[in-house]
Amino acid sequence: MIAVARPDRHSARLFVVAADGMMRDLPRTKLATLFDPGDLVVANDAATLPASLQGTHVPSGKAIEIRLAGWLSLPDPTRFVAIAFGLGDHRTRTEDRLPPPALSTGDRLWLGPLEAVVERLLDHPRLLELCFPGNRAAVLAGMAQHGRPIQYAHVPEPLALWDVWTKIAARPFAFEAPSAGFGLDWRTLQAWRRRAVGFAALTHAAGVSSTGDPALDSRLPFDEPYRISERTAAQVARAKLRGSRIIAIGTSVVRALEAAANPDGSVRAGNGIATGRIERGTPLRVVDAILTGVHQPGESHFELLRAFADDALLAKASAALTACRYRAHEFGDSVLLNC
């Protein structure tokens, strides 16, 4: 990974926004010192799939890029919701990408070693359901051989798959990196352990952050599956009973925990689907604070932050982040909100 694209732990910055409006500009290495004994930090351990697949639309012979964007059946890596683009690659801004060739149900696509079939067109020219004929092992092998991480124009050099895996990445489950997790490293986790700050993980299928089309972007985030282990659910319950804070590492963790929330603030273990948006006015039953990236008003990630703070505080924080030149992409700086 090139140095300018992902700042190291010493150069990355952390902007802390407290519930009372106090704001601090810190090096991200200070994250290890900001929580109290008994607090519980929860992160997303999903590894990122090579979800961008270049190929050919067989009926027209034209170039196509498929970006996998959602699971149709979670245990089955042969069927997905996908977003289609025409000729081009990540070096062109997503908003400027050409539309895909005219698609019809049943169309075949050659995506490197993989064949895909359009199962169903959804209610937008870029949005479809597709399947990969074949068994699970063959499809996963083809994706690993030919697929690349979904990537955007602010990082022109091609990313390798390991560039979009966090330190705690485990099972391939996400379509884009749960990028707030880039703020974690083993030294921070070790420091929390020494200070009796709890740490837990869940697995959430973080989806795409941009489709290039405002109408389609307005639907983000799509429905996203998650898994919460019995151990993580028990850790959340114990933290809630003792009145400790739950700190989510990223918006995907907030979606999963709040989707699984019980009225008392505990969470249900097992598999689930996070649906709908968390936004201004959404009651938060589990999460008290969030570590996230730098987001812009109008983005679905920013809309989620409105559940943590009022618009006046967020506007003040956004102005400070701009003035202080915080980096806003997925490999950029971090914000700790409402802590």
Side-chain angles (χ1 to χ4, degrees), residues 1 4 20 42 45 51 62 71 73 77 105 161 172 177 188 194 215 219 229 237 245 280 295 297 303 307 312 336:
M1 181 69 196
V4 295
D20 62 4
V42 185
D45 68 3
K62 294 181 178 179
W71 297 92
S73 177
T105 300
L161 191 56
T188 298
R194 287 197 300 265
R219 305 184 197 179
S229 68
R245 293 173 298 174
R280 183 177 64 180
H295 305 302
E303 291 301 304
L336 180 62

Side-chain angles (χ1 to χ4, degrees), residues 88-89 131 137 180 200 212 217 286:
D89 61 20
C131 68
D217 281 350
V286 182

